[in-house]
Amino acid sequence: MQFDRRHVLSGLIAAPAVLTFSRPGSAQSATTLKISHQFPGGSIDQGDFRDRLCRIMAREVEKRTAGSLKFEVYANSSLMKTNAQFSAMRKGALDMSLYPIAYAGGELHACNLGLMPCLVTSYEQGAKWKTSEVGKALTKIVEDKGIKIISWIWQAGGVASRKGTIGGPDDVKGIKIRGGSREMDLMFTAAGAQVSTMPSNEVYIGMQTGALDAAVTSSTSLISFRLEELSKSLTAARKGSFWFMLEPMLMSKAIFDSLKPEQQKALLDVGAEMEAWGTAEAKKDDEEVAKVYAAKGVQVVDQTDANLAAWRKISEESAWKDYAAKSTEAAELLKLARAVS
């Protein structure tokens, strides 16, 4: 199975992956929506599950709208740069994106909650956000800024290192590491690391050039971006992680509001149905990444409860404290998130 994934990705990662879903004989008045994401392109059956999720969602929504909605999927940031996507959706210049929501933290502070170290510790806990008070509050905040959440997707992450194994806080002292969010960087800084900010699709170059000693990213990205080629050690997420990211399917609210009610319903229904599929695929990759790295001779270890407890203590004193201090709204969001167990 892994050979198939790599075969697909190696053939497509270098070129923009565009997939148009169309139905013969469909009405000329059909609306075509563009879905952009930063991950390697594949096919509807093989490749990075996040790309596949976009393609499956596109297919199913088109079916349910009898072709009145069509989609083009742009993988590998081929339509626009990763960090530009959130702002583009707010302005109605981009229709949809499967987007790591913490990347928007600089533009909308509340979004940093989506990658707060040690806050979410399991997929089951993350899944509860959607219908809990924190999910309702976060939904309102992003909608007020022009973004509609279509599907809630969570991913656990591990640590790939060019140097020694990274388990507990003592292991990051003095190393150059990529965390993936402002709050993650605050935790690493408090532990004595040097942090570097970049989207996950730039991590390979960072590690290749020595700009990074280590990187934390989702298990899926650890596979898709081939970081095992540069790593000596992997700390896997299969038995726990301080890194759980909210990576939802987002949509421009202006575009969503312009659709017919039945089209909106199809998007939301399919988005909800894809959440369980996304979780299952993310869990598969938590296991698969360990196999991929071990096959390359990389040392693979798992997080321990003691290490996770040590990380939580540092995170509460740094990232959590800093986040809550930004505003009353942020403090309330963090309080609501902590109440979900």
Side-chain angles (χ1 to χ4, degrees), residues 294-313:
K296 281 286 188 177
V298 177
Q299 180 187 29
V300 178
V301 300
D302 296 301
Q303 278 289 5
T304 66
D305 290 342
N307 282 339
L308 290 174
W311 281 119
R312 177 169 175 130
K313 184 175 187 297

Side-chain angles (χ1 to χ4, degrees), residues 4-66:
D4 290 338
R5 168 195 279 250
R6 292 308 177 83
H7 180 72
V8 171
L9 294 184
S10 64
L12 296 177
I13 189 171
V18 182
L19 182 62
T20 302
F21 293 83
S22 60
R23 293 171 63 91
S26 57
Q28 292 183 354
S29 60
T31 298
T32 299
L33 301 176
K34 291 180 171 64
I35 305 176
S36 175
H37 66 76
Q38 74 186 69
F39 310 107
S43 71
I44 204 163
D45 298 312
Q46 294 178 330
D48 188 304
F49 89 81
R50 296 161 300 194
D51 178 70
R52 292 172 57 210
L53 187 148
C54 293
R55 297 170 190 275
I56 293 170
M57 177 176 288
R59 180 189 65 190
E60 294 305 311
V61 173
E62 183 176 337
K63 285 180 182 178
R64 297 190 193 187
T65 61

Side-chain angles (χ1 to χ4, degrees), residues 198 200-212 225 227 230:
M198 62 184 70
S200 59
N201 60 328
E202 297 177 12
V203 167
Y204 187 97
I205 295 174
M207 291 183 69
Q208 187 178 47
T209 60
L212 291 176
F225 294 122
L227 299 186
L230 307 171

